Every structure is written in structure tokens, then in C-alpha cells.
Amino acid sequence: MALVKKDKYNVAIVGATGVVGQTFIKVLEEYKFPVGEVRLLASARSKGKVIHCFNRDIVVDEVNEDAFKGMDISLFSAGGEVSLKWAPIASKYTLVIDNSSAFRMDPKCPLVVPEVNPKDITKEGIIANPNCTTIQSIIPVKALDDKFKVVRINYTSYQAVSGAGMKGINDLKNTRIGEAPQFFPYNISKTVIPHIDTFLDNGYTKEEMKMVNETRKILHKPSLAVSATCVRVPIENSHAVSIAIELEKEFTIDEVRDVLSNYPGIVVKDDPKNNIYPVTDYSNGNDLVYVGRIRKDLSVKNGLLIYCVADNIRKGAAANAVQIAKYLIEEIL
Ligand code: A2P
């Protein structure tokens, strides 16, 4: 159902007990989003659990169709299978913003980062939230594309364990105290792992192809040359991405710094002589993308290297979704 302008919006949160679900709540509270009734939904395991938020105690329910009736917005982050089953049902009653990968490449579903393609936001249906690494990368990429036209991108990511949810965080904590890995294929406390999500026949992982395909969709450039290598690293939170970009137009580093500094959502941290570059100390707990290590790629004409860090659970997931809803109610309705 199409969202209409109201004083307060009733919100259903699917996956409310998870890492991203809990952050949906935190961000809605911090942003003072005009929330009316709230329904918290998860699996049967969490039914009956009480969560205190929005100045009230809310009892978690198992996802069910009736729970979406009377709601205005549904925020989903309970994995692809739950979204595939329940997001179409929820969209009969509410606008859905889905953090899973289930609908990202569906041509009927916009894939949105508010700083980049807010005009794609719709009032109804399912809006997909991009992959965490795509979100933080596409913001500086779009800033550069607007000014210098991006012709080729090669991403390398360094991704925190929180991107894999509670299971990922627990595996890092437990392997640090000597337990055997339960989730990652190797002991994440002792190695970086160049393997996120499953491998495909082309030798890339699904995570890597998400970065490729989502970049093209968000920029509306279906044949843009993009490739990616995604690596899990032994830190709890905030992803880093090294981005090699080939630009059509010539540029100076000062021009690039200027373009990035003036783009919404970006903070430039680039003073290497004083050890200033993007680190998780900056990004953890907020919704900005920190960009630095800005330099010419010595291997190709008009090549640029940049490095960015962002909180993968906030800007890479929950905050981006809430910002989509905020943009919709403030700028579109
Ligand atoms: P639950 O806590 O009841 O298992 P994370 O990625 O941080 O592990 O969080 C996953 C979220 O998705 C949790 O809220 C989890 O609920 C929820 N979830 C997992 N499987 C289902 C399911 N089959 N139906 C509804 N929610 C689910």
C-alpha cells in the first residue's frame, strides 16, 4: 500500500532481535523519527521476549501476516529467505524497506542510497537497501562520477565480522579465547579470509558480485566495468574498502579532495604525514563515510586510489534504511 503523509508512522521491524534490527530501533530513536505504534517481529525463538524501546515495553511476536495490518512502514533484516516469504505480504499493507539481498536486483524494486539516487525512492512496494560495502563505496564513487565520470572500478573490501550478524561476532569472540570456529571456515581471530558468502561458477563470491551488480544498478550504468574482492577481517565492526577508480576526465588530487569534501555523507580524513586516514575509531557509531589515502593510481592514466571506512551496521544497513524512510516522509510525501 502507498505511504501517505501522517503525523506519526506505525512501524513493523522484522528481525528486531538481530544486530541490524536492534540498530533500526536505535537509529529511529536517535533520528526522532515520528514513530506511532511499533511491532517487533522475529522467529518463534524470540516470541514473548520483551524489548524496551520508544519509551515503552514491546513484546516480540513471531512474523505473521496480521502483524503488518495497520502498519505504515516495514523494516526487514532477518535474512533473504524471510524477506522472500514475508516482504511481498508486508507490501500489501505497508511500504517495505528490505535490508536483505532478496529484491536488490529485482527491476521492480528500487535500490537506494539517499545521498546518491534519492529520486528512485517510491511510496509503495519494496525498496531494497544495498549491500553494506556497496553503500559506503557508492557515495564517494558517485561524487567522483558527477565531476569526472567514472569508467572503471576495482574494489577490495576489508569487512568486519558484524556483517555476518550475531554468528559472526560470536565466532570472533569465541575463537579469540581458543574455541574452534563455528561459523567462519577458518579461525577468524588468526587470519583474514578472502571468502564472504558462497562462491559462484565465475570464481567470484556472491558478496563480490553484489558489489558489481549493485554499483551498476544504483548508478543506472548497466555496463560499467566493475570488479571486486571481498575479505573478512578480524575486527568487530566497520568495513573498509580500497577503491581503484579510472576516470574519464583528468583531475588533480586537490580537485578530488574538494569534490569528496563537499559531498553529503562524506568526511575526508587525509593527512597521512600526521597519521590521519580513515580508521574505525571515526566510523563506529555514526552514519558517515570517512575517505582518505587519496592518491593517483600509478598504473593507469586518470587512475585514482581512495580508501573508505563506514559503520557497516549503521550506514551499511540500519541507518541507510531509516534515511530512505526519512527522505520519503520529509521530501516526497
Ligand atoms: P531470532 O532472534 O528470533 O532468531 P542476526 O543477523 O543478527 O543474527 O539477526 C537475525 C534476525 O533475523 C533475528 O532477529 C532473528 O530472530 C531473525 N530471524 C531469523 N530467522 C527467522 C525466521 N525464520 N523468521 C523470522 N525471523 C527470523
Side-chain angles (χ1 to χ4, degrees):
M1 201 150 77
L3 195 60
V4 293
K5 186 101 186 145
K6 291 183 166 181
D7 291 336
K8 289 191 168 180
Y9 299 87
N10 297 336
V11 179
I13 299 180
V14 180
T17 52
V19 178
V20 176
Q22 289 288 297
T23 312
F24 280 145
I25 293 170
K26 200 191 286 179
V27 174
L28 286 165
E29 287 180 329
E30 277 177 25
Y31 284 20
K32 298 192 171 31
F33 194 90
V35 159
E37 193 185 335
V38 178
R39 293 192 185 145
L40 302 181
L41 307 166
S43 77
R45 291 180 290 274
S46 301
K47 189 175 164 70
K49 197 173 164 185
V50 178
I51 295 178
H52 186 81
C53 54
F54 305 105
N55 298 318
R56 58 197 107 151
D57 285 331
I58 302 177
V59 181
V60 178
D61 200 357
E62 186 178 355
V63 191
N64 65 89
E65 180 159 352
D66 283 346
F68 299 109
K69 294 178 182 166
M71 296 291 103
D72 300 301
I73 300 169
S74 302
L75 301 174
F76 273 69
S77 192
E81 278 177 34
V82 174
S83 291
L84 276 176
K85 178 170 175 194
W86 290 104
I89 294 168
S91 75
K92 290 197 285 183
Y93 309 103
T94 74
L95 171 82
V96 174
I97 304 175
D98 178 33
N99 187 51
S100 82
S101 60
F103 296 96
R104 289 182 191 150
M105 298 315 296
D106 185 330
K108 295 187 296 300
C109 301
L111 182 66
V112 177
V113 177
E115 292 89 339
V116 174
N117 59 336
K119 293 204 171 71
D120 289 343
I121 295 173
T122 50
K123 295 183 213 172
E124 61 188 324
I126 302 170
I127 300 177
N129 211 35
N131 178 261
C132 42
T133 41
T134 310
I135 291 175
Q136 72 179 70
S137 305
I138 201 79
I139 297 174
V141 163
K142 177 67 161 63
L144 295 164
D145 188 51
D146 286 349
K147 176 87 177 176
F148 306 107
K149 195 159 185 271
V150 170
V151 291
R152 193 174 71 87
I153 305 168
N154 190 358
Y155 297 119
T156 307
S157 73
Y158 308 82
Q159 298 184 219
V161 296
S162 60
M166 288 296 185
K167 294 187 277 316
I169 295 171
N170 289 338
D171 219 35
L172 176 62
K173 286 186 174 158
N174 294 337
T175 52
R176 272 178 179 161
I177 55 167
E179 290 183 18
Q182 298 291 316
F183 178 71
F184 296 113
Y186 291 88
N187 183 333
I188 188 65
S189 72
K190 296 222 161 90
T191 185
V192 299
I193 306 176
H195 171 185
I196 300 180
D197 209 329
T198 51
F199 278 99
L200 301 165
D201 289 344
N202 66 356
Y204 284 76
T205 60
K206 272 194 189 165
E207 185 82 352
E208 290 161 352
M209 291 312 295
K210 284 175 204 166
M211 291 196 83
V212 172
N213 294 324
E214 293 176 19
T215 294
R216 291 173 174 158
K217 179 166 174 174
I218 296 167
L219 294 179
H220 299 281
K221 295 183 183 212
S223 49
L224 184 66
V226 188
S227 60
T229 302
C230 292
V231 181
R232 187 73 72 194
V233 297
I235 64 167
E236 204 164 302
N237 198 52
S238 279
H239 292 346
V241 186
S242 169
I243 314 178
I245 307 172
E246 209 178 312
L247 298 163
E248 189 178 279
K249 297 186 186 146
E250 291 192 357
F251 61 87
T252 66
I253 293 301
D254 281 346
E255 283 174 323
V256 166
R257 205 172 274 128
D258 202 46
V259 163
L260 294 171
S261 303
N262 287 308
Y263 200 82
I266 294 178
V267 175
V268 171
K269 290 284 180 189
D270 193 39
D271 182 9
K273 287 200 181 82
N274 290 308
N275 293 348
I276 303 295
Y277 34 72
V279 290
T280 58
D281 288 358
Y282 295 129
S283 56
N284 277 338
N286 68 68
D287 304 331
L288 298 165
V289 180
Y290 295 84
V291 184
R293 300 300 321 280
I294 301 168
R295 63 217 192 271
K296 293 220 168 182
D297 182 340
L298 303 177
S299 69
V300 64
K301 186 173 184 294
N302 294 347
L304 174 71
L305 298 177
I306 60 172
Y307 179 88
C308 67
V309 166
D311 186 322
N312 54 298
I313 299 298
R314 290 190 60 116
K315 184 56 189 166
N320 194 70
V322 174
Q323 287 166 351
I324 292 171
K326 194 167 179 289
Y327 188 94
L328 179 50
I329 65 168
E330 289 176 0
E331 307 291 334
I332 298 179
L333 293 185

